[in-house]
Amino acid sequence: MKAIFRTKYFYVSIVIVLVVVGFAFNHYDRAEKKETMTDAEFYSALGAGKVTSLKLEPKKSVYEISGRLKGQGEDQSFSVTVPNSEFALNTINRAAEEHNIKQIVVIPSDTEVSEWVTVLTTTLPFILLLIMAFVIFLMALVIKRWNRPRY
């Protein structure tokens, strides 16, 4: 049993498992399923007054828009990607005024964090704690051997 803990494969496999679990928690989709629309379908639904709420998120040269559509029974969720242009903003603003869309959320840009930063900030503290515990364990062994009487 002690031989397992002395191999480097054991520690590499622990690190791999921690990284896989971190990615799984990061990418697990807990939200409801959204209907993906084209920009033409979005503009026609917006013009018809079927959109009840919007959330705009600027990403580089596009807007990622999600929201809710009036449907049979309960509202449907949708998502669409439109180019970052004056036309898109003017169309959304005009439809918001005409159809009285109250819930428009604009998320500021540059809120995206790299996945590597997330992995490092979540797993690095645990790795450092394991290294510190291992060093303390080794130091305890060395001190124990120094204090042992020699014959």
Side-chain angles (χ1 to χ4, degrees):
M1 185 69 174
K2 289 182 183 179
I4 293 174
F5 296 113
R6 292 183 182 157
T7 62
K8 61 182 172 188
Y9 300 112
F10 174 74
Y11 295 105
V12 170
S13 63
I14 287 177
V15 170
I16 290 173
V17 167
L18 288 175
V19 168
V20 167
V21 168
F23 277 124
F25 278 120
N26 193 19
H27 292 292
Y28 179 70
D29 189 18
R30 293 175 286 277
E32 63 183 275
K33 298 295 179 193
K34 295 181 180 180
E35 175 188 348
T36 304
M37 303 172 72
T38 63
D39 53 349
E41 293 172 340
F42 169 69
Y43 290 132
S44 65
L46 196 61
K50 294 181 180 178
V51 177
T52 59
S53 67
L54 287 174
K55 180 176 111 176
L56 285 103
E57 189 171 356
K59 300 271 186 171
K60 296 184 182 176
S61 62
V62 296
Y63 284 116
E64 288 184 2
I65 301 173
S66 61
R68 293 210 165 286
L69 292 173
K70 292 179 188 173
Q72 298 84 9
E74 58 184 56
D75 293 347
Q76 295 176 328
S77 294
F78 73 91
S79 66
V80 64
T81 303
V82 296
N84 185 355
S85 65
E86 289 293 322
F87 173 75
L89 291 177
N90 290 338
T91 306
I92 292 169
N93 287 333
R94 191 174 338 107
E97 290 174 4
E98 289 175 4
H99 301 292
N100 202 15
I101 300 173
K102 298 274 185 211
Q103 298 176 340
I104 297 179
V105 178
V106 179
I107 297 176
S109 60
D110 299 326
T111 58
E112 186 175 317
V113 178
S114 171
E115 292 179 11
W116 288 108
V117 172
T118 304
V119 168
L120 285 176
T121 56
T122 56
T123 58
L124 194 61
F126 294 110
I127 293 171
L128 291 175
L129 283 173
L130 286 173
I131 291 171
M132 284 177 36
F134 184 68
V135 167
I136 290 171
F137 175 73
L138 286 179
M139 289 181 69
L141 281 178
V142 169
I143 291 171
K144 190 176 186 181
R145 287 197 178 187
W146 279 348
N147 292 336
R148 188 174 59 182
R150 296 192 176 114
Y151 299 105

